[in-house]
Amino acid sequence: MAKGSSINGNGGKGGNNSYTIIGRGEVSRAELVKEVKQGQHPDTHIYKRNGVEYARNNPNHDKPDNIND
């Protein structure tokens, strides 16, 4: 189970097709979305844009820890 701050996006302005989870390595977007839906990453939620689902960190006002930060 990864905390939101340990998940980084591997994309650019076109969106993340994969993510790197510190200590685990690269995971496809589809796999991470599936894991988030199963509750394996409690600090992360699903965001849908143009019909495509992406992983996003839940808001944290204590420190910046968005997936692409």
Side-chain angles (χ1 to χ4, degrees):
M1 186 172 344
K3 291 283 195 184
S5 60
S6 66
I7 301 173
N8 296 303
N10 300 330
K13 294 181 181 186
N16 296 314
N17 289 319
S18 67
Y19 299 84
T20 298
I21 300 175
I22 297 171
R24 179 172 166 195
E26 190 170 325
V27 178
S28 71
R29 178 178 41 80
E31 181 65 25
L32 184 58
V33 165
K34 178 179 147 187
E35 291 176 5
V36 170
K37 287 181 176 181
Q38 293 172 344
Q40 295 180 30
H41 305 284
D43 294 337
T44 307
H45 65 276
I46 301 302
Y47 169 75
K48 194 171 192 175
R49 183 178 67 203
N50 296 328
V52 179
E53 294 178 314
Y54 297 91
R56 270 195 161 167
N57 288 339
N58 295 340
N60 179 352
H61 302 289
D62 296 329
K63 65 177 183 170
D65 64 351
N66 290 327
I67 284 180
N68 289 330
D69 280 350

